PDB file of all heavy atoms in Angstrom:
ATOM      1  N   ARG B   1       0.900  -1.183   0.013  1.00 94.00           N
ATOM      2  CA  ARG B   1      -0.040   0.013  -0.012  1.00 94.00           C
ATOM      3  C   ARG B   1       0.912   1.234  -0.031  1.00 94.00           C
ATOM      4  O   ARG B   1       1.915   1.254   0.696  1.00 94.00           O
ATOM      5  CB  ARG B   1      -0.905  -0.074   1.221  1.00 94.00           C
ATOM      6  CG  ARG B   1      -1.846   1.130   1.370  1.00 94.00           C
ATOM      7  CD  ARG B   1      -2.841   0.962   2.479  1.00 94.00           C
ATOM      8  NE  ARG B   1      -2.214   0.584   3.754  1.00 94.00           N
ATOM      9  CZ  ARG B   1      -2.884   0.249   4.819  1.00 94.00           C
ATOM     10  NH1 ARG B   1      -4.178   0.105   4.751  1.00 94.00           N
ATOM     11  NH2 ARG B   1      -2.275  -0.051   5.960  1.00 94.00           N
ATOM     12  N   SER B   2       0.466   2.270  -0.795  1.00 95.00           N
ATOM     13  CA  SER B   2       1.275   3.505  -0.850  1.00 95.00           C
ATOM     14  C   SER B   2       0.403   4.720  -0.905  1.00 95.00           C
ATOM     15  O   SER B   2      -0.621   4.721  -1.572  1.00 95.00           O
ATOM     16  CB  SER B   2       2.117   3.414  -2.147  1.00 95.00           C
ATOM     17  OG  SER B   2       2.791   4.664  -2.341  1.00 95.00           O
ATOM     18  N   SER B   3       0.754   5.730  -0.115  1.00 92.00           N
ATOM     19  CA  SER B   3      -0.047   6.972  -0.148  1.00 92.00           C
ATOM     20  C   SER B   3       0.695   8.029  -1.079  1.00 92.00           C
ATOM     21  O   SER B   3       0.155   9.122  -1.199  1.00 92.00           O
ATOM     22  CB  SER B   3      -0.091   7.579   1.293  1.00 92.00           C
ATOM     23  OG  SER B   3       1.160   7.798   1.836  1.00 92.00           O
ATOM     24  N   ASP B   4       1.750   7.670  -1.783  1.00 94.00           N
ATOM     25  CA  ASP B   4       2.437   8.595  -2.728  1.00 94.00           C
ATOM     26  C   ASP B   4       2.644   7.894  -4.011  1.00 94.00           C
ATOM     27  O   ASP B   4       3.724   8.119  -4.678  1.00 94.00           O
ATOM     28  CB  ASP B   4       3.711   9.194  -2.095  1.00 94.00           C
ATOM     29  CG  ASP B   4       4.673   8.063  -1.711  1.00 94.00           C
ATOM     30  OD1 ASP B   4       4.483   6.892  -1.985  1.00 94.00           O
ATOM     31  OD2 ASP B   4       5.720   8.441  -1.047  1.00 94.00           O
ATOM     32  N   ASN B   5       1.672   7.141  -4.528  1.00 90.00           N
ATOM     33  CA  ASN B   5       1.673   6.532  -5.833  1.00 90.00           C
ATOM     34  C   ASN B   5       2.888   5.605  -6.057  1.00 90.00           C
ATOM     35  O   ASN B   5       3.459   5.557  -7.156  1.00 90.00           O
ATOM     36  CB  ASN B   5       1.545   7.563  -6.987  1.00 90.00           C
ATOM     37  CG  ASN B   5       0.206   8.177  -7.011  1.00 90.00           C
ATOM     38  OD1 ASN B   5      -0.808   7.437  -6.937  1.00 90.00           O
ATOM     39  ND2 ASN B   5       0.172   9.469  -7.108  1.00 90.00           N
ATOM     40  N   GLY B   6       3.305   4.908  -5.015  1.00 91.00           N
ATOM     41  CA  GLY B   6       4.387   3.928  -5.180  1.00 91.00           C
ATOM     42  C   GLY B   6       5.702   4.355  -4.890  1.00 91.00           C
ATOM     43  O   GLY B   6       6.682   3.609  -4.946  1.00 91.00           O
ATOM     44  N   GLN B   7       5.967   5.639  -4.545  1.00 93.00           N
ATOM     45  CA  GLN B   7       7.258   6.143  -4.262  1.00 93.00           C
ATOM     46  C   GLN B   7       7.821   5.494  -3.043  1.00 93.00           C
ATOM     47  O   GLN B   7       8.999   5.066  -2.928  1.00 93.00           O
ATOM     48  CB  GLN B   7       7.291   7.677  -4.117  1.00 93.00           C
ATOM     49  CG  GLN B   7       6.880   8.405  -5.361  1.00 93.00           C
ATOM     50  CD  GLN B   7       7.848   8.201  -6.470  1.00 93.00           C
ATOM     51  OE1 GLN B   7       9.090   8.156  -6.267  1.00 93.00           O
ATOM     52  NE2 GLN B   7       7.355   8.056  -7.706  1.00 93.00           N
ATOM     53  N   THR B   8       6.983   5.415  -2.017  1.00 95.00           N
ATOM     54  CA  THR B   8       7.256   4.591  -0.831  1.00 95.00           C
ATOM     55  C   THR B   8       6.048   3.721  -0.523  1.00 95.00           C
ATOM     56  O   THR B   8       5.002   3.949  -1.085  1.00 95.00           O
ATOM     57  CB  THR B   8       7.462   5.517   0.440  1.00 95.00           C
ATOM     58  OG1 THR B   8       6.313   6.284   0.670  1.00 95.00           O
ATOM     59  CG2 THR B   8       8.667   6.497   0.224  1.00 95.00           C
ATOM     60  N   ARG B   9       6.248   2.718   0.218  1.00 93.00           N
ATOM     61  CA  ARG B   9       5.173   1.758   0.450  1.00 93.00           C
ATOM     62  C   ARG B   9       5.217   1.048   1.774  1.00 93.00           C
ATOM     63  O   ARG B   9       6.270   0.998   2.412  1.00 93.00           O
ATOM     64  CB  ARG B   9       5.214   0.720  -0.664  1.00 93.00           C
ATOM     65  CG  ARG B   9       6.450  -0.177  -0.597  1.00 93.00           C
ATOM     66  CD  ARG B   9       6.496  -1.124  -1.742  1.00 93.00           C
ATOM     67  NE  ARG B   9       6.986  -0.420  -2.895  1.00 93.00           N
ATOM     68  CZ  ARG B   9       7.057  -0.940  -4.111  1.00 93.00           C
ATOM     69  NH1 ARG B   9       6.773  -2.141  -4.327  1.00 93.00           N
ATOM     70  NH2 ARG B   9       7.469  -0.233  -5.115  1.00 93.00           N
ATOM     71  N   GLU B  10       3.991   0.560   2.184  1.00 93.00           N
ATOM     72  CA  GLU B  10       3.918  -0.317   3.299  1.00 93.00           C
ATOM     73  C   GLU B  10       3.950  -1.771   2.689  1.00 93.00           C
ATOM     74  O   GLU B  10       3.019  -2.147   2.007  1.00 93.00           O
ATOM     75  CB  GLU B  10       2.600  -0.120   4.050  1.00 93.00           C
ATOM     76  CG  GLU B  10       2.427   1.198   4.703  1.00 93.00           C
ATOM     77  CD  GLU B  10       1.095   1.324   5.336  1.00 93.00           C
ATOM     78  OE1 GLU B  10       0.753   0.655   6.317  1.00 93.00           O
ATOM     79  OE2 GLU B  10       0.250   2.029   4.756  1.00 93.00           O
ATOM     80  N   PRO B  11       5.041  -2.448   2.836  1.00 94.00           N
ATOM     81  CA  PRO B  11       5.189  -3.733   2.114  1.00 94.00           C
ATOM     82  C   PRO B  11       4.648  -4.953   2.787  1.00 94.00           C
ATOM     83  O   PRO B  11       4.503  -4.956   4.025  1.00 94.00           O
ATOM     84  CB  PRO B  11       6.707  -3.828   1.954  1.00 94.00           C
ATOM     85  CG  PRO B  11       7.235  -3.229   3.257  1.00 94.00           C
ATOM     86  CD  PRO B  11       6.290  -2.060   3.476  1.00 94.00           C
ATOM     87  N   MET B  12       4.271  -5.889   1.982  1.00 94.00           N
ATOM     88  CA  MET B  12       3.958  -7.282   2.451  1.00 94.00           C
ATOM     89  C   MET B  12       2.841  -7.349   3.470  1.00 94.00           C
ATOM     90  O   MET B  12       2.939  -8.126   4.413  1.00 94.00           O
ATOM     91  CB  MET B  12       5.197  -8.028   2.885  1.00 94.00           C
ATOM     92  CG  MET B  12       6.216  -8.157   1.750  1.00 94.00           C
ATOM     93  SD  MET B  12       7.553  -9.227   2.150  1.00 94.00           S
ATOM     94  CE  MET B  12       6.848 -10.828   1.754  1.00 94.00           C
ATOM     95  N   LEU B  13       1.833  -6.523   3.294  1.00 94.00           N
ATOM     96  CA  LEU B  13       0.648  -6.593   4.155  1.00 94.00           C
ATOM     97  C   LEU B  13      -0.088  -7.831   3.960  1.00 94.00           C
ATOM     98  O   LEU B  13      -0.402  -8.209   2.827  1.00 94.00           O
ATOM     99  CB  LEU B  13      -0.288  -5.384   3.881  1.00 94.00           C
ATOM    100  CG  LEU B  13       0.317  -4.016   4.068  1.00 94.00           C
ATOM    101  CD1 LEU B  13      -0.616  -2.959   3.532  1.00 94.00           C
ATOM    102  CD2 LEU B  13       0.821  -3.726   5.520  1.00 94.00           C
ATOM    103  N   GLY B  14      -0.383  -8.566   5.060  1.00 94.00           N
ATOM    104  CA  GLY B  14      -1.201  -9.776   4.977  1.00 94.00           C
ATOM    105  C   GLY B  14      -0.536 -10.957   4.253  1.00 94.00           C
ATOM    106  O   GLY B  14      -1.221 -11.804   3.745  1.00 94.00           O
ATOM    107  N   CYS B  15       0.770 -10.980   4.235  1.00 95.00           N
ATOM    108  CA  CYS B  15       1.524 -12.033   3.551  1.00 95.00           C
ATOM    109  C   CYS B  15       0.977 -13.394   3.988  1.00 95.00           C
ATOM    110  O   CYS B  15       0.900 -13.648   5.169  1.00 95.00           O
ATOM    111  CB  CYS B  15       2.955 -11.896   3.767  1.00 95.00           C
ATOM    112  SG  CYS B  15       3.954 -13.058   2.803  1.00 95.00           S
ATOM    113  N   THR B  16       0.621 -14.215   2.981  1.00 95.00           N
ATOM    114  CA  THR B  16       0.138 -15.572   3.261  1.00 95.00           C
ATOM    115  C   THR B  16       0.699 -16.539   2.297  1.00 95.00           C
ATOM    116  O   THR B  16       1.199 -16.089   1.234  1.00 95.00           O
ATOM    117  CB  THR B  16      -1.418 -15.601   3.338  1.00 95.00           C
ATOM    118  OG1 THR B  16      -1.850 -16.805   3.867  1.00 95.00           O
ATOM    119  CG2 THR B  16      -1.962 -15.402   1.883  1.00 95.00           C
ATOM    120  N   THR B  17       0.661 -17.815   2.607  1.00 94.00           N
ATOM    121  CA  THR B  17       1.262 -18.869   1.804  1.00 94.00           C
ATOM    122  C   THR B  17       0.252 -19.949   1.404  1.00 94.00           C
ATOM    123  O   THR B  17      -0.604 -20.198   2.194  1.00 94.00           O
ATOM    124  CB  THR B  17       2.447 -19.494   2.553  1.00 94.00           C
ATOM    125  OG1 THR B  17       3.385 -18.555   2.966  1.00 94.00           O
ATOM    126  CG2 THR B  17       3.156 -20.610   1.735  1.00 94.00           C
ATOM    127  N   VAL B  18       0.316 -20.356   0.194  1.00 95.00           N
ATOM    128  CA  VAL B  18      -0.550 -21.517  -0.180  1.00 95.00           C
ATOM    129  C   VAL B  18      -0.049 -22.745   0.617  1.00 95.00           C
ATOM    130  O   VAL B  18       1.161 -23.133   0.493  1.00 95.00           O
ATOM    131  CB  VAL B  18      -0.451 -21.819  -1.687  1.00 95.00           C
ATOM    132  CG1 VAL B  18      -1.231 -23.042  -2.118  1.00 95.00           C
ATOM    133  CG2 VAL B  18      -0.916 -20.560  -2.535  1.00 95.00           C
ATOM    134  N   THR B  19      -0.947 -23.255   1.403  1.00 93.00           N
ATOM    135  CA  THR B  19      -0.614 -24.402   2.302  1.00 93.00           C
ATOM    136  C   THR B  19      -1.178 -25.733   1.718  1.00 93.00           C
ATOM    137  O   THR B  19      -0.697 -26.797   2.102  1.00 93.00           O
ATOM    138  CB  THR B  19      -1.014 -24.176   3.751  1.00 93.00           C
ATOM    139  OG1 THR B  19      -2.452 -23.941   3.714  1.00 93.00           O
ATOM    140  CG2 THR B  19      -0.273 -22.984   4.302  1.00 93.00           C
ATOM    141  N   SER B  20      -2.268 -25.614   1.027  1.00 92.00           N
ATOM    142  CA  SER B  20      -2.896 -26.804   0.412  1.00 92.00           C
ATOM    143  C   SER B  20      -3.742 -26.326  -0.760  1.00 92.00           C
ATOM    144  O   SER B  20      -4.153 -25.209  -0.788  1.00 92.00           O
ATOM    145  CB  SER B  20      -3.692 -27.633   1.412  1.00 92.00           C
ATOM    146  OG  SER B  20      -4.834 -26.812   1.830  1.00 92.00           O
ATOM    147  N   GLY B  21      -4.021 -27.248  -1.649  1.00 91.00           N
ATOM    148  CA  GLY B  21      -4.773 -26.798  -2.831  1.00 91.00           C
ATOM    149  C   GLY B  21      -3.975 -25.851  -3.668  1.00 91.00           C
ATOM    150  O   GLY B  21      -2.762 -25.944  -3.684  1.00 91.00           O
ATOM    151  N   GLY B  22      -4.582 -24.892  -4.231  1.00 92.00           N
ATOM    152  CA  GLY B  22      -3.849 -23.922  -5.061  1.00 92.00           C
ATOM    153  C   GLY B  22      -4.267 -22.459  -4.906  1.00 92.00           C
ATOM    154  O   GLY B  22      -3.776 -21.581  -5.578  1.00 92.00           O
ATOM    155  N   ASP B  23      -5.143 -22.143  -3.908  1.00 93.00           N
ATOM    156  CA  ASP B  23      -5.636 -20.818  -3.691  1.00 93.00           C
ATOM    157  C   ASP B  23      -5.228 -20.256  -2.361  1.00 93.00           C
ATOM    158  O   ASP B  23      -5.184 -21.010  -1.347  1.00 93.00           O
ATOM    159  CB  ASP B  23      -7.209 -20.850  -3.865  1.00 93.00           C
ATOM    160  CG  ASP B  23      -7.675 -21.334  -5.153  1.00 93.00           C
ATOM    161  OD1 ASP B  23      -6.903 -21.461  -6.096  1.00 93.00           O
ATOM    162  OD2 ASP B  23      -8.882 -21.622  -5.254  1.00 93.00           O
ATOM    163  N   ALA B  24      -5.010 -18.958  -2.315  1.00 95.00           N
ATOM    164  CA  ALA B  24      -4.798 -18.291  -1.016  1.00 95.00           C
ATOM    165  C   ALA B  24      -5.257 -16.807  -1.151  1.00 95.00           C
ATOM    166  O   ALA B  24      -5.189 -16.257  -2.230  1.00 95.00           O
ATOM    167  CB  ALA B  24      -3.303 -18.285  -0.601  1.00 95.00           C
ATOM    168  N   TYR B  25      -5.689 -16.298  -0.055  1.00 94.00           N
ATOM    169  CA  TYR B  25      -6.156 -14.909  -0.004  1.00 94.00           C
ATOM    170  C   TYR B  25      -5.489 -14.175   1.111  1.00 94.00           C
ATOM    171  O   TYR B  25      -5.346 -14.745   2.268  1.00 94.00           O
ATOM    172  CB  TYR B  25      -7.668 -14.829   0.160  1.00 94.00           C
ATOM    173  CG  TYR B  25      -8.461 -15.505  -0.948  1.00 94.00           C
ATOM    174  CD1 TYR B  25      -8.720 -16.843  -0.957  1.00 94.00           C
ATOM    175  CD2 TYR B  25      -8.901 -14.741  -1.965  1.00 94.00           C
ATOM    176  CE1 TYR B  25      -9.414 -17.376  -2.003  1.00 94.00           C
ATOM    177  CE2 TYR B  25      -9.642 -15.269  -3.029  1.00 94.00           C
ATOM    178  CZ  TYR B  25      -9.853 -16.637  -2.996  1.00 94.00           C
ATOM    179  OH  TYR B  25     -10.579 -17.177  -4.038  1.00 94.00           O
ATOM    180  N   THR B  26      -5.165 -12.901   0.909  1.00 95.00           N
ATOM    181  CA  THR B  26      -4.622 -12.019   2.062  1.00 95.00           C
ATOM    182  C   THR B  26      -5.874 -11.533   2.907  1.00 95.00           C
ATOM    183  O   THR B  26      -7.010 -11.651   2.369  1.00 95.00           O
ATOM    184  CB  THR B  26      -3.859 -10.848   1.591  1.00 95.00           C
ATOM    185  OG1 THR B  26      -4.768  -9.961   0.926  1.00 95.00           O
ATOM    186  CG2 THR B  26      -2.674 -11.248   0.690  1.00 95.00           C
ATOM    187  N   THR B  27      -5.614 -10.935   3.992  1.00 93.00           N
ATOM    188  CA  THR B  27      -6.657 -10.231   4.690  1.00 93.00           C
ATOM    189  C   THR B  27      -7.004  -9.049   3.852  1.00 93.00           C
ATOM    190  O   THR B  27      -6.288  -8.596   2.993  1.00 93.00           O
ATOM    191  CB  THR B  27      -6.180  -9.834   6.111  1.00 93.00           C
ATOM    192  OG1 THR B  27      -4.994  -9.156   5.974  1.00 93.00           O
ATOM    193  CG2 THR B  27      -6.078 -11.084   7.001  1.00 93.00           C
ATOM    194  N   GLN B  28      -8.144  -8.418   4.101  1.00 93.00           N
ATOM    195  CA  GLN B  28      -8.592  -7.226   3.403  1.00 93.00           C
ATOM    196  C   GLN B  28      -7.903  -6.002   4.032  1.00 93.00           C
ATOM    197  O   GLN B  28      -7.671  -5.924   5.253  1.00 93.00           O
ATOM    198  CB  GLN B  28     -10.071  -7.083   3.523  1.00 93.00           C
ATOM    199  CG  GLN B  28     -10.924  -8.039   2.698  1.00 93.00           C
ATOM    200  CD  GLN B  28     -12.327  -7.792   2.709  1.00 93.00           C
ATOM    201  OE1 GLN B  28     -12.888  -7.156   3.610  1.00 93.00           O
ATOM    202  NE2 GLN B  28     -13.021  -8.223   1.665  1.00 93.00           N
ATOM    203  N   TRP B  29      -7.631  -5.013   3.165  1.00 90.00           N
ATOM    204  CA  TRP B  29      -6.929  -3.833   3.604  1.00 90.00           C
ATOM    205  C   TRP B  29      -7.753  -2.575   3.139  1.00 90.00           C
ATOM    206  O   TRP B  29      -8.265  -2.543   2.012  1.00 90.00           O
ATOM    207  CB  TRP B  29      -5.485  -3.727   3.065  1.00 90.00           C
ATOM    208  CG  TRP B  29      -4.705  -4.888   3.647  1.00 90.00           C
ATOM    209  CD1 TRP B  29      -4.551  -6.130   3.107  1.00 90.00           C
ATOM    210  CD2 TRP B  29      -4.065  -4.860   4.895  1.00 90.00           C
ATOM    211  NE1 TRP B  29      -3.841  -6.898   3.955  1.00 90.00           N
ATOM    212  CE2 TRP B  29      -3.521  -6.158   5.059  1.00 90.00           C
ATOM    213  CE3 TRP B  29      -3.899  -3.952   5.942  1.00 90.00           C
ATOM    214  CZ2 TRP B  29      -2.783  -6.525   6.205  1.00 90.00           C
ATOM    215  CZ3 TRP B  29      -3.177  -4.304   7.042  1.00 90.00           C
ATOM    216  CH2 TRP B  29      -2.608  -5.539   7.134  1.00 90.00           C
ATOM    217  N   ASN B  30      -7.697  -1.530   3.937  1.00 85.00           N
ATOM    218  CA  ASN B  30      -8.373  -0.286   3.626  1.00 85.00           C
ATOM    219  C   ASN B  30      -7.735   0.406   2.412  1.00 85.00           C
ATOM    220  O   ASN B  30      -6.546   0.592   2.410  1.00 85.00           O
ATOM    221  CB  ASN B  30      -8.336   0.619   4.850  1.00 85.00           C
ATOM    222  CG  ASN B  30      -9.078   1.940   4.595  1.00 85.00           C
ATOM    223  OD1 ASN B  30      -9.602   2.220   3.509  1.00 85.00           O
ATOM    224  ND2 ASN B  30      -9.156   2.716   5.661  1.00 85.00           N
ATOM    225  N   ASP B  31      -8.535   0.644   1.379  1.00 81.00           N
ATOM    226  CA  ASP B  31      -7.955   1.314   0.225  1.00 81.00           C
ATOM    227  C   ASP B  31      -8.567   2.724   0.021  1.00 81.00           C
ATOM    228  O   ASP B  31      -8.624   3.221  -1.101  1.00 81.00           O
ATOM    229  CB  ASP B  31      -8.195   0.450  -1.056  1.00 81.00           C
ATOM    230  CG  ASP B  31      -9.687   0.299  -1.360  1.00 81.00           C
ATOM    231  OD1 ASP B  31     -10.550   0.579  -0.507  1.00 81.00           O
ATOM    232  OD2 ASP B  31      -9.964  -0.101  -2.521  1.00 81.00           O
ATOM    233  N   ASN B  32      -9.041   3.319   1.034  1.00 86.00           N
ATOM    234  CA  ASN B  32      -9.631   4.674   1.012  1.00 86.00           C
ATOM    235  C   ASN B  32      -8.531   5.655   0.971  1.00 86.00           C
ATOM    236  O   ASN B  32      -8.040   6.176   2.021  1.00 86.00           O
ATOM    237  CB  ASN B  32     -10.589   4.892   2.240  1.00 86.00           C
ATOM    238  CG  ASN B  32     -11.297   6.187   2.111  1.00 86.00           C
ATOM    239  OD1 ASN B  32     -11.331   6.815   1.005  1.00 86.00           O
ATOM    240  ND2 ASN B  32     -11.927   6.613   3.190  1.00 86.00           N
ATOM    241  N   GLY B  33      -8.013   6.079  -0.211  1.00 85.00           N
ATOM    242  CA  GLY B  33      -7.002   6.998  -0.452  1.00 85.00           C
ATOM    243  C   GLY B  33      -5.685   6.485  -0.968  1.00 85.00           C
ATOM    244  O   GLY B  33      -5.274   6.955  -1.998  1.00 85.00           O
ATOM    245  N   PRO B  34      -5.083   5.507  -0.332  1.00 90.00           N
ATOM    246  CA  PRO B  34      -3.872   5.033  -0.932  1.00 90.00           C
ATOM    247  C   PRO B  34      -4.014   4.120  -2.124  1.00 90.00           C
ATOM    248  O   PRO B  34      -5.122   3.625  -2.396  1.00 90.00           O
ATOM    249  CB  PRO B  34      -3.246   4.184   0.236  1.00 90.00           C
ATOM    250  CG  PRO B  34      -4.398   3.733   1.045  1.00 90.00           C
ATOM    251  CD  PRO B  34      -5.460   4.782   0.872  1.00 90.00           C
TER     252      PRO B  34
END
C-alpha cells in the first residue's frame, strides 16, 4: 500500500502462503485514499 503513488510503500501486508490446494487470499486492507 502506498500513499504517494508507489514512491514509498507499506510492504507485504497480509502475507500468506498456499498451504494446500492452489488458492490463497490475504486479509482485506483499507484502500480509502492510498
Side-chain angles (χ1 to χ4, degrees):
R1 179 170 55 189
S2 175
S3 59
D4 57 9
N5 290 315
Q7 298 296 321
T8 60
R9 64 186 77 185
E10 294 176 74
M12 298 189 83
L13 302 174
C15 186
T16 192
T17 303
V18 175
T19 57
S20 64
D23 301 345
Y25 297 85
T26 68
T27 52
Q28 290 185 334
W29 296 92
N30 183 357
D31 65 344
N32 187 12

